[in-house]
Amino acid sequence: MLYRSMTIDDYEAAYRLWENTAGMGLSEADSRTEIARYLERNPGISQVCVEEDGTLAGTAMCGHDGRRGYLYHVAVHSGSRGKGAGREMVARCLEKLREEGILKCHLMVIGTNSLGRSFWNSVGWQERDGLVLFSKNSG
């Protein structure tokens, strides 16, 4: 597996991966324009893994607000799972955050995504109780 920073050139393959990953929630915020803006705002932090044949096998989008880091769309193609790709991409994202002085990172998992919740618990992330997420469109 080759690991590197995500670029907008990865978008089409990444979107196909996200569409085919159970438990992944997609919205208008995942358009090419919005992802390009996110990557530009957080240069070099998001990561991908690529198989030897050049096929995109995984993504981990990551950025920060100057205080806390956030992970989004951590996904590994079903045929590439079990090789440590998810762990490696996340470790690389966390290292990039540390380089920017960000020492804590959050992520959101859809409540019914048992595979995702199991993965995050197995790699040492704490599931938080007592928090409620509110959202509102600004437009």
Side-chain angles (χ1 to χ4, degrees), residues 83-98:
K83 301 176 184 177
R87 287 184 183 92
E88 179 64 22
M89 287 186 299
V90 169
R92 293 169 65 89
C93 288
L94 295 177
E95 178 58 30
K96 296 288 186 182
L97 290 173
R98 277 190 296 278

Side-chain angles (χ1 to χ4, degrees), residues 17 23 43 54 60 63 65 86 90 92 108 110 116 136:
L17 172 64
D65 60 13
V90 169
R92 293 169 65 89
M108 290 172 265
I110 294 172
K136 181 177 181 170

Side-chain angles (χ1 to χ4, degrees), residues 14-22 24 26 77-78 81:
Y15 197 88
R16 280 192 305 275
L17 172 64
W18 301 336
E19 283 182 309
N20 292 296
T21 298
M24 183 74 61
L26 297 173
H77 185 275
S78 59
R81 291 184 185 151

Side-chain angles (χ1 to χ4, degrees), residues 3-129:
Y3 297 91
R4 61 171 172 75
S5 295
M6 184 177 184
T7 70
I8 196 58
D9 292 336
D10 297 310
Y11 178 78
E12 283 77 17
Y15 197 88
R16 280 192 305 275
L17 172 64
W18 301 336
E19 283 182 309
N20 292 296
T21 298
M24 183 74 61
L26 297 173
S27 71
E28 63 277 353
D30 298 305
S31 70
R32 182 182 182 89
T33 300
E34 293 299 315
I35 296 298
R37 189 164 66 150
Y38 185 83
L39 295 173
E40 288 170 17
R41 187 178 191 286
N42 298 281
I45 301 175
S46 296
Q47 300 289 305
V48 295
C49 63
V50 180
E51 294 283 0
E52 290 180 17
D53 67 1
T55 304
L56 186 113
T59 62
M61 292 195 52
C62 188
H64 67 85
D65 60 13
R67 183 172 170 269
R68 295 287 185 249
Y70 299 91
L71 277 168
Y72 303 95
H73 295 353
V74 178
V76 176
H77 185 275
S78 59
S80 300
R81 291 184 185 151
K83 301 176 184 177
R87 287 184 183 92
E88 179 64 22
M89 287 186 299
V90 169
R92 293 169 65 89
C93 288
L94 295 177
E95 178 58 30
K96 296 288 186 182
L97 290 173
R98 277 190 296 278
E99 290 172 6
E100 300 215 10
I102 307 299
L103 303 178
K104 189 168 194 172
C105 187
H106 299 294
L107 61 92
M108 290 172 265
V109 177
I110 294 172
T112 58
N113 183 351
S114 58
L115 182 62
R117 290 172 79 169
S118 177
F119 171 77
W120 293 111
N121 280 312
S122 75
V123 296
W125 287 65
Q126 292 179 311
E127 189 168 328
R128 301 279 306 265
D129 291 330

